[in-house]
Amino acid sequence: MPNLQTTDSSSGLNLWTKNHPVFLRHLIIWVIYSIYQQSIVFYVTKGKVFDIYSFLLNSVLDAFIFYASFYIFQHFLKPKKYVSVFIGLLALIAAFSGIKYGFEKIIFPCAGIQVADVFSADINKYVAANIWNTILYSGYGLGYFYALKAIQAEKDQRLLETEKRILIESELFHTQEILLKNQEILEKTQKVLSQEHQLLENEQELKRLEYERNQAQLAFLRSQINPHFLYNTLNFFYAKVLSHSREAAEGILVLVEMMKYALKEEDGNGKVMLDKEVQHLEISLN
């Protein structure tokens, strides 16, 4: 059971540390800084002005000045309320001096605690030291304020650059999608055009084959007819009919001319001269 409690306590501490990393870092820095500062005082005065209560009091008050001044700068310096900043620093000096004086001159003596005080003999030096200490740690607070401001500006700049990069990448991706879609549409269009071209070629080929078939049939029919026999037969009819009906005989002559025109060999592309066609029409109409 004790082991379980120890494990639970360690887990709780680790969880709190993860949730409060900034506080933990500040606490460690202040502890190290306070020990360093008091070590210098102890070394310079050879241990004459060092005691644990003054050490704790000065460390807490120094941290109080630092964070209070940072609060003042954060809320009044950024909107350029310089009068409020000045009044806040004066109030901070008064609060620091009053708290320190109250502990060193009232609370500690009443509690029977003896603390070292190098400025108790001279009130002017005591006040000047408190003012200087307030100004010093207020300066640290001001530096911390501008440091955080610069860090935040750098983060904002990086975030803006990241957003721009993401936007550019998104636009490039969108452009690539459009290009791919256009390419797909182009490929489909080319495929359709190719199919239409193939259909057109097939249609032309069918027409050519149909024309060749008709020409072959016409050539076959011509080969089956003996022109000289047909002309001689029609001339025989003409001679027999002429003595009975001149009009019928003329009709036979027209038929002979039409048969000559129909059975005449045209050129290679199936065409005849225009004057021949006109002459044939005139004969047919007459």
Side-chain angles (χ1 to χ4, degrees), residues 5-20:
Q5 292 179 352
T6 303
T7 303
D8 293 340
S9 300
S10 301
S11 300
L13 180 60
N14 293 333
L15 180 61
W16 189 90
T17 303
K18 291 180 180 179
N19 294 333
H20 304 80

Side-chain angles (χ1 to χ4, degrees), residues 16-240:
W16 189 90
T17 303
K18 291 180 180 179
N19 294 333
H20 304 80
V22 177
F23 175 81
L24 184 61
R25 287 198 297 268
H26 280 238
L27 179 62
I28 293 174
I29 292 173
W30 274 110
V31 170
I32 295 174
Y33 176 78
S34 299
I35 294 175
Y36 167 76
Q37 185 184 44
Q38 293 302 321
S39 298
I40 294 176
V41 174
F42 182 83
Y43 177 77
V44 172
T45 62
K46 297 180 180 180
K48 295 181 180 180
V49 296
F50 177 78
D51 61 77
I52 186 63
Y53 298 104
S54 295
F55 168 73
L56 294 176
L57 177 63
N58 290 329
S59 299
V60 173
L61 289 178
D62 292 342
F64 166 74
I65 295 173
F66 176 82
Y67 291 109
S69 62
F70 172 77
Y71 178 85
I72 292 172
F73 295 136
Q74 187 179 29
H75 287 79
F76 300 109
L77 187 60
K78 189 174 182 179
K80 297 182 179 181
K81 297 180 179 180
Y82 301 115
V83 176
S84 299
V85 172
F86 181 73
I87 294 174
L89 292 178
L90 290 180
L92 189 59
I93 292 173
F96 172 77
S97 301
I99 294 172
K100 187 173 183 181
Y101 183 85
F103 272 93
E104 291 181 345
K105 300 301 182 181
I106 300 175
I107 297 177
F108 285 162
C110 291
I113 299 173
Q114 298 294 327
V115 294
D117 187 4
V118 295
F119 302 113
S120 59
D122 191 343
I123 189 64
N124 293 327
K125 290 183 178 181
Y126 183 80
V127 173
N130 292 339
I131 294 174
W132 166 250
N133 198 71
T134 305
I135 294 174
L136 176 64
Y137 285 94
S138 296
Y140 290 161
L142 180 63
Y144 182 64
F145 167 74
Y146 279 110
L148 288 183
K149 186 177 180 181
I151 292 172
Q152 186 62 39
E154 180 68 20
K155 289 182 179 179
D156 293 340
Q157 181 65 26
R158 291 182 180 180
L159 180 61
L160 181 61
E161 292 177 356
T162 302
E163 291 177 351
K164 287 182 179 179
R165 184 175 67 254
I166 293 174
L167 180 61
I168 293 174
E169 291 177 354
S170 177
E171 291 179 352
L172 288 176
F173 180 76
H174 183 63
T175 303
Q176 289 178 351
E177 285 187 339
I178 294 176
L179 291 176
L180 290 175
K181 290 181 179 179
N182 291 337
Q183 184 178 3
E184 184 179 355
I185 294 173
L186 180 60
E187 290 177 353
K188 291 182 178 179
T189 303
Q190 290 177 347
K191 186 176 180 180
V192 171
L193 291 176
S194 177
Q195 292 176 350
E196 291 181 352
H197 180 70
Q198 186 66 34
L199 290 175
L200 181 60
E201 289 183 349
N202 294 337
E203 184 178 356
Q204 291 177 349
E205 181 67 17
L206 290 175
K207 289 182 178 180
R208 186 184 64 81
L209 293 175
E210 182 69 16
Y211 173 77
E212 291 180 354
R213 185 178 67 83
N214 293 334
Q215 291 297 109
Q217 290 178 350
L218 180 60
F220 175 75
L221 291 175
R222 283 175 177 173
S223 66
Q224 299 300 316
I225 299 176
N226 190 335
H228 296 289
F229 175 76
L230 181 62
Y231 297 154
N232 292 332
T233 302
L234 291 175
N235 287 327
F236 173 77
F237 288 156
Y238 173 76
K240 293 295 183 180

